[in-house]
Structures are given as C-alpha cells and as structure tokens.
C-alpha cells in the first residue's frame, strides 16, 4: 500500500525525536538520581563527621546518657537518623529508638566497613523501623584507636519522593520539548512534502496535456533541479506534440483532399488510416476507437484477397475491383507493403482510384464511334447501291432513275444533317469551354414564341396544337439563339413522337433562382432504363422509328450541351403510356 511522502517523513522524524528525547531523559534521570544519592550520602557522611568530635570525650568515658541527649537534641533539627555504636556493635545512642532495646549492629554492612577504619554505606530495609533506609557509618578515632561509630541514615522513601518530584518536573519539560519537536518536525515535513505535492499535481496536469504551465522553483537546490527538468521536459514534449499534431493535421488534410481512397492496414489487418474518399467508396459510415479490422467494414472478397497477397508476397499488387456498396463502382486498386525505418513490414497500404467515370466515358466513346459509323454507313450504303444501280443501266430508265435520284438526294440530306448536327455540337462544346457564348438577360416568352412559330408547320401537318403558358415579365440569363434551338429540338421530338390530334404544352415558371421551361407531350412515354442515357450522342430508344422519321440521334445531346453552356441543366420525367416532360432549367439574371 502506497503512502504519501508526508506520512513517511513526519512519523520517522517524530519517532527519531521522541526516541532521542526519551533516551536523553532516561540518561539524565539516572545520572541525576545517582548524583542526588551521592549528594545525600555525602551529606550524611558530613553530618556524622561533624558529630564525631562532639561525642568523642563521652565515648572515651562511656557516658551514654550524654550521647543520647545530644543525639536527640540534634535529631530535632534534621530529618536524618543518628545512631552511635560501640566497636563491639552495641548501640549506645539513637535518635529514633531506645538504644537499650536495639540489637547488636556489628553485622551491619556499613558497620563492618567502619570497623575497618573506612566510612561505610548501605541501602536496605531497617529491621527497627521496617522501612528502606540509606545508611552511612563514620568511624570515630582517638589517637588512632577506634572508640565508636557514628551512623547517619535517612529513609529511602524521602529520597524517592524528592526524586519523583524532580523527575516529574523533568518529564513535564520533556513533554513540552517533545510537543515543540513534533510541531517543528511537522513544519519541516510539510516544507519538504509541499513542493513535492505541487510537483505531483503539476505532473498530473502535464499528463492531461496542460503543457504550457510552469513549475515555480522551490528553495531547495535539489527540488529546484527537479522542477527545472520537468519544465524543460514539458516544453520539449509540448513542442514535439505540436509538431506531431501539425504533421498529422497536414497528413489528414492531404488525405482528405485526395480523390483517391487510401487505407492503411496493420499486420493484424486492423485499420490504421481511412481517408474520406476510401470511406465513401467502401461505404464506411463511421469508425470509432479502437479501429475495427478490415473484414468488419469491407465485405469485398477481391479487396481482402488483394491485401492477403500483398502481406504474403511483400510485393506491390494491382487489380481492378468492382465495389457494390453503397453503389456499383469500378476502382483501380494498388496495394503496397508498409515498411518501417528498420525495414520490418508493419502493414499494407491500399490506394483506390475510382475509374467508373473513365469506364463510362470509354463505353460512351465506343458507342459513339459505333453509332456514328452506323449512322453514316446507312445513307452511304444506300447512295452507293443506287449509284451502282444507275451505273448498271437504270439511268436509261427515266421512271426509275428519277426515283433513285430522289432517294440519293434524301440520303445526302440525311448525311448533311448528321454532319451539321455534329459540327453544331462541336461548336457549342468549344465555345462553352472557352466561355465564348455570350449570355444576357432576355425575355423567355419571346424565345418560346419564336421556337413555336418555327415548329408550327410540322405540328399543323399532324393536326397538333402547341399551347404556351409563360408570363410576359419572365426573364433569364441566356443566349437567345441557342436557347431557341434547344426548345426547337424538344418541340420537334415531342411532335415527332406524340400521337396526331394531341396537344403539346410549353410552360415557363419562376422557381427560386432558376427559370424552368417544361415541354409536356402526350406520347408513348419512355421506359425508366433509357432515361439515364437519353442525352448521349446517337442514343435511341427506338432506333428503327428514329431513322424512319429522319432523326439523327443528336438532338437531345445538343440540348444538354446548350444547357451546360448556360450553367443550367436539362431533365426528363416520363412513364410508359403517360407521356413525357422535358425541362430546361435556366439561371435567373
């Protein structure tokens, strides 16, 4: 279990201080006790020595009465007990007891020492007083001859009481010192731990990414070095993170701006990077953390097999893959192994290039070449056949020759119409690319009236009516000639494919920022599968009827390019048996 530094330092300081104080207190108490006992013993010895000359004469003469009276008078002035003992051990005077009733003291330790001519001392229980006493015996000499022993004593309980009082005072002082030491050690511990606590809190803020803050250097040189190192580390880390963030942002910006899809997969086939183009191509909606595996987000077996081959061979692999989600797309996929700085393979990089539009354009180009060849070959074949027929003698048959020449003339007109439409289409495309088509605000009603007038004869031939619905104040940004041509092409198709005795309606309305021109017919309608390719060159819904009615297959394509030049568009809504509605959407001025 981890503990805070404060609770590691402070108790240790406190224990060291208390142990030191307790040890010093014990030593001082013991020393003071020894000193006090020594002082008491010296005091008793001094009192016995001072008493010796006073009783020397009485000891020589064995005047025990005077000895007893003197000892009793002295005992009233001091707490000590005085006893006078002859060398034989007989007690001849005592301040607390009757000498006649006391035992012989020759066997007492202090008496034994005094008999040898030396002061003696002993601490033991008194048989007479039944309490522990401290005894000091002083020999008394007369011309070198031992004549008696003076013993002074004091109860040990008195000494103990005095020592307890002294120890109590000493203990109170020690407690005060211990409290002061505890407070002092608390202050020192806090002074040590507080900077470390601040360093810890700041380090946690560094960990949360707050790298712009700085630690204040504490007074300690060691901690100041730590804070300086942490500040330097945070500054360098902040700089590196900013560099990495900038590089990552630049990388993400580049990847997001690429039209190619980019996927990076690690060795566990877990996605590392997916840009927007790749997510769009593969139908990946949202990727969270942790990153999923490739199999979890991509169900295309060909792409998964390609990744497996790159990992196995560690060589680039290219392939065209058809993606079916979210819509069918054709992509050119290139896989390369990812290598780190040590040359170890760390994954696979897949680059996806959407070539759906390119393949569609190739298909349109092939269809265009095939269609234009077919469109040109048909009249040329007819012309060549009738010319050969005339060369083989039919020219000499006036009734047949005239018929053949009229057919040849119609086929030449058809060729001329195809060429004119192709040239017109090419001219519109070039002018639109070079922005050479002038646009200006003009009356929509005037353009529609002119187109209706142009097509009126053909409509009347089929007993059809053309109805115009257009406000007189409706204006659009347009090129009058080209917009009129687009409307004429739509009207011509409507008249051609509608049933006789029907009505075609031309309606122009204002719709936000656009002017919508609708051409409604009552024809057979167009199947939905033809609508996406209806505006391609030479595309025909019914090729046999179109050629029979004289169409070139370029009219709707010309309409689309005219609208592109106007920054507008053309749309169609149609159902089988319900007629069709072609709409031109032209910007407002």
């Amino acid at each position: 279990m981890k503990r805070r530094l404060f609770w590691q330092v402070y108790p240790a300081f406190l224990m060291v201080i208390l142990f030191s104080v307790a040890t010093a207190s014990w030593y001082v108490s013991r020393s003071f006790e020894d000193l006090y006992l020594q002082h008491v013993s010296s005091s008793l010895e001094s009192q016995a020595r001072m008493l010796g000359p006073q009783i020397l004469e009485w000891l020589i003469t064995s005047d025990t009465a005077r000895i007893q009276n003197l000892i009793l008078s002295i005992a009233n002035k001091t707490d000590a007990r005085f006893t006078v003992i002859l060398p034989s051990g007989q007690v001849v005077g005592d301040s607390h007891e009757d000498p006649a009733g006391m035992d012989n003291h020759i066997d007492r330790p202090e008496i034994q020492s005094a008999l040898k001519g030396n002061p003696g001392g002993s601490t033991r229980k008194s048989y007479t007083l039944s309490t522990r006493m401290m005894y000091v015996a002083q020999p008394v000499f007369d011309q070198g001859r031992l004549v008696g022993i003076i013993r002074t004593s004091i109860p040990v309980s008195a000494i103990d009481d005095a020592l307890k009082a002294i120890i109590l005072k000493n203990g109170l002082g020690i407690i005060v010192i211990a409290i002061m030491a505890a407070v002092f050690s608390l202050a020192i511990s806090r002074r040590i731990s507080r900077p470390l606590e601040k360093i810890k809190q700041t380090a946690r803020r560094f960990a949360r990414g707050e790298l712009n803050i700085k630690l204040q250097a504490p007074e300690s040189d060691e901690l100041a070095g730590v804070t300086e190192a942490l500040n330097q580390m945070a500054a360098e880390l902040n700089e590196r993170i900013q560099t990495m963030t900038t590089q990552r942002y630049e990388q993400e910006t580049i990847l997001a701006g690429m039209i190619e899809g980019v996927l990076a997969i690690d060795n566990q086939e877990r996605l590392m990077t997916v840009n927007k183009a790749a997510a769009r191509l593969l139908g990946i909606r949202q990727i969270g953390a942790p990153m999923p595996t490739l199999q979890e987000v991509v169900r295309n077996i060909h792409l998964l097999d390609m990744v497996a081959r790159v990992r196995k061979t560690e060589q680039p692999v290219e392939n065209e893959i058809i993606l079916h989600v979210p819509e069918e797309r054709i992509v050119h996929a290139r896989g390369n192994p990812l290598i780190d700085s040590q040359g170890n393979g760390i994954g696979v990089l897949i680059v996806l290039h959407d070539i759906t539009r390119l393949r569609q354009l190739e298909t349109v180009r092939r269809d265009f070449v095939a269609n234009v060849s077919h469109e040109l070959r048909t009249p040329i074949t007819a012309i060549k056949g009738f010319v050969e027929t005339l060369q083989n003698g039919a020219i000499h048959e006036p009734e047949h020759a005239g018929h053949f020449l009229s057919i040849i003339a119609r086929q030449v007109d058809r060729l001329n119409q195809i060429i004119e439409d192709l040239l017109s289409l090419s001219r519109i495309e070039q002018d639109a690319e070079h922005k050479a088509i002038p646009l200006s605000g003009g009356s929509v009603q005037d353009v529609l009236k002119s187109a209706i007038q142009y097509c009126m004869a053909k409509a009347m031939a089929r007993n059809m009516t053309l109805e115009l619905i257009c406000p007189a104040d409706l204006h659009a940004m347009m090129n009058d000639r080209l917009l009129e041509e687009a409307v004429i092409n739509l009207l011509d198709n409507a008249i051609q494919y509608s049933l006789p005795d029907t009505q075609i309606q031309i309606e122009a309305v204002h719709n936000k920022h656009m002017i919508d021109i609708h051409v409604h017919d009552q024809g057979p309608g167009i199947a939905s599968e033809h609508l996406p390719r209806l505006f391609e060159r030479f595309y025909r819904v019914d090729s046999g009827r179109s050629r029979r009615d004289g169409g070139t297959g370029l009219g709707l394509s010309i309409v689309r390019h005219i609208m592109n030049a106007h920054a507008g568009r053309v749309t169609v809504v149609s159902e089988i048996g319900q007629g069709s509605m072609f709409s031109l959407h032209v910007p407002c001025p």
Side-chain angles (χ1 to χ4, degrees):
M1 181 179 177
K2 296 181 179 179
R3 294 184 300 167
R4 295 177 58 185
L5 179 64
F6 173 80
W7 292 113
Q8 297 181 28
V9 173
Y10 178 62
F13 278 177
L14 193 58
M15 289 181 65
V16 169
I17 292 173
L18 292 178
F19 177 77
S20 301
V21 170
T23 304
S25 176
W26 176 83
Y27 178 76
V28 169
S29 297
R30 295 297 299 175
S31 299
F32 191 82
E33 182 180 358
D34 293 341
L35 180 62
Y36 183 76
L37 291 175
Q38 185 179 358
H39 173 72
V40 171
S41 178
S42 299
S43 177
L44 292 176
E45 184 179 347
S46 298
Q47 292 180 24
R49 191 180 294 114
M50 287 187 296
L51 182 61
Q54 297 181 37
I55 67 171
L56 176 60
E57 180 181 356
W58 298 334
L59 285 173
I60 295 173
T61 60
S62 300
D63 192 350
T64 59
R66 288 189 176 185
I67 293 173
Q68 178 67 19
N69 292 333
L70 178 62
I71 289 175
L72 291 174
S73 63
I74 294 174
N76 294 328
K77 301 176 182 179
T78 179
D79 294 332
R81 177 185 179 187
F82 292 89
T83 305
V84 179
I85 305 164
L86 297 177
S88 62
Q90 180 184 355
V91 178
V92 294
D94 190 269
S95 60
H96 286 69
E97 295 291 336
D98 183 8
M102 295 178 65
D103 296 334
N104 190 288
H105 283 40
I106 196 166
D107 58 345
R108 306 297 196 263
E110 68 277 6
I111 302 300
Q112 290 291 323
S113 178
L115 290 174
K116 296 176 181 179
N118 300 315
S122 176
T123 301
R124 68 180 188 279
K125 182 177 181 180
S126 172
Y127 296 104
T128 305
L129 301 178
S130 298
T131 184
R132 281 177 56 81
M133 303 287 290
M134 175 184 282
Y135 297 99
V136 174
Q138 178 69 35
V140 179
F141 293 97
D142 177 35
Q143 297 180 358
R145 181 175 65 89
L146 180 66
V147 296
I149 299 170
I150 301 174
R151 188 184 70 175
T152 56
S153 62
I154 190 171
V156 174
S157 59
I159 299 174
D160 292 341
D161 292 341
L163 286 175
K164 287 180 181 178
I166 295 172
I167 293 173
L168 179 61
K169 292 181 180 179
N170 189 29
L172 292 175
I174 290 173
I175 292 174
V176 173
I177 293 173
I179 293 174
M180 293 177 62
V183 173
F184 185 69
S185 62
L186 176 64
I188 293 176
S189 300
R190 288 194 177 277
R191 188 172 183 179
I192 293 174
S193 64
R194 189 177 292 111
L196 293 175
E197 185 69 23
K198 290 183 178 179
I199 291 174
K200 181 186 74 173
Q201 293 175 358
T202 306
R204 286 179 176 174
R205 295 179 67 183
F206 286 164
R208 291 195 296 266
E210 302 177 29
L211 300 174
N212 294 323
I213 59 176
K214 282 191 175 183
L215 274 168
Q216 297 296 326
E219 298 177 358
S220 171
D221 289 341
E222 292 80 1
L223 293 180
V226 173
T227 56
E228 183 179 355
L230 284 174
N231 288 334
Q232 183 178 358
M233 178 199 70
E236 293 179 359
L237 187 61
N238 188 33
E239 182 179 354
R240 292 186 181 183
I241 290 176
Q242 288 181 351
T243 301
M244 293 175 62
T245 302
T246 301
Q247 292 176 349
R248 183 175 182 82
Y249 176 77
E250 291 175 352
Q251 178 184 1
E252 290 179 351
T253 302
I254 293 172
L255 290 175
M258 293 176 63
I259 61 173
E260 293 84 3
V262 178
L263 297 94
I265 304 117
D266 63 15
N267 287 329
Q268 286 72 42
E269 295 192 3
R270 191 172 296 277
L271 294 177
M272 299 165 58
T273 300
V274 180
N275 70 344
K276 292 182 179 179
R280 183 176 64 254
L281 288 172
L282 298 174
I284 302 174
R285 294 184 179 181
Q286 187 174 3
I287 298 178
M291 297 289 276
T293 61
L294 184 63
Q295 292 85 348
E296 292 175 345
V297 296
V298 176
R299 304 297 182 184
N300 191 286
I301 187 64
H302 302 291
L303 183 59
L304 297 175
D305 180 65
M306 182 178 177
V307 173
R309 278 191 292 155
V310 174
R311 290 185 58 198
K312 182 178 180 180
T313 63
E314 296 187 352
Q315 297 294 327
V317 175
E318 295 187 41
N319 196 8
E320 284 192 8
I321 299 174
I322 298 178
L323 302 175
H324 299 281
V325 178
E327 60 184 5
E328 186 171 304
R329 313 290 292 179
I330 303 173
V331 298
H332 176 267
R334 178 181 176 86
N336 288 284
L338 286 174
I339 309 297
D340 62 13
S341 57
Q342 284 75 36
N344 300 319
I346 60 173
V348 177
L349 179 68
I350 301 293
V351 179
L352 305 174
H353 183 66
D354 188 359
I355 58 173
T356 305
R357 179 61 178 167
L358 180 62
R359 292 290 180 262
Q360 291 175 346
L361 292 176
E362 290 179 354
T363 301
V364 171
R365 179 184 59 80
R366 288 195 299 267
D367 291 347
F368 172 75
V369 172
N371 289 333
V372 74
S373 299
H374 184 74
E375 294 293 336
L376 294 176
R377 185 183 295 114
T378 300
I380 289 174
T381 300
I383 292 172
K384 182 179 180 181
F386 285 113
V387 168
E388 290 177 351
T389 301
L390 291 172
Q391 288 176 341
N392 290 334
I395 194 172
H396 300 295
E397 301 176 1
E399 66 280 5
H400 292 96
H403 176 65
F404 292 158
L405 289 174
S406 63
I407 293 175
I408 291 173
R410 287 199 305 271
Q411 296 301 326
V412 170
D413 290 340
R414 177 173 174 78
L415 281 174
N416 184 62
Q417 185 62 44
I418 292 173
I419 292 171
E420 286 294 331
D421 286 348
L422 287 172
L423 290 175
S424 176
L425 190 59
S426 177
R427 189 164 49 250
I428 292 171
E429 287 180 339
Q430 291 180 0
D431 290 344
E433 288 179 0
H434 296 87
K435 300 185 182 302
I437 298 177
L439 301 177
S440 60
S443 173
V444 176
Q445 189 182 70
D446 293 344
V447 173
L448 297 182
K449 285 182 177 180
S450 178
I452 290 173
Q453 185 177 3
Y454 183 87
C455 298
M456 184 61 72
K458 186 175 180 179
M460 292 177 65
R462 303 194 65 190
N463 198 27
M464 301 174 69
T465 58
L466 305 178
E467 180 186 5
L468 175 62
I469 303 174
C470 178
D473 59 348
L474 200 61
H475 291 75
M477 289 296 296
M478 60 185 176
N479 182 288
D480 296 357
R481 181 183 61 81
L482 291 180
L483 185 60
E484 180 181 340
E485 182 179 352
V487 177
I488 288 173
N489 282 340
L490 295 181
L491 286 175
D492 187 69
N493 281 348
I495 294 170
Q496 180 177 338
Y497 292 104
S498 295
L499 297 175
D501 302 321
T502 57
Q503 184 186 67
I504 297 174
Q505 185 183 79
I506 304 96
E507 180 183 11
V509 295
H510 184 271
N511 182 17
K512 295 183 179 179
H513 303 294
M514 306 292 286
I515 301 298
D516 297 339
I517 301 173
H518 306 295
V519 177
H520 302 261
D521 65 41
Q522 299 181 28
I526 304 170
S528 58
E529 64 267 18
H530 297 292
L531 296 181
R533 301 190 61 187
L534 199 60
F535 297 96
E536 294 179 8
R537 302 177 188 184
F538 294 111
Y539 185 81
R540 300 176 186 274
V541 176
D542 186 351
S543 58
R545 178 177 177 182
S546 298
R547 294 190 182 94
R548 183 173 63 251
D549 295 338
T552 63
L554 293 171
L556 292 179
S557 181
I558 291 174
V559 171
R560 185 186 65 180
H561 282 81
I562 289 175
M563 295 315 298
N564 290 340
H566 282 77
R569 57 194 176 92
V570 57
T571 59
V572 58
V573 178
S574 182
E575 293 183 14
I576 297 296
Q578 299 297 323
S580 303
M581 182 182 74
F582 287 83
S583 301
L584 305 178
H585 308 278
V586 188
C588 294

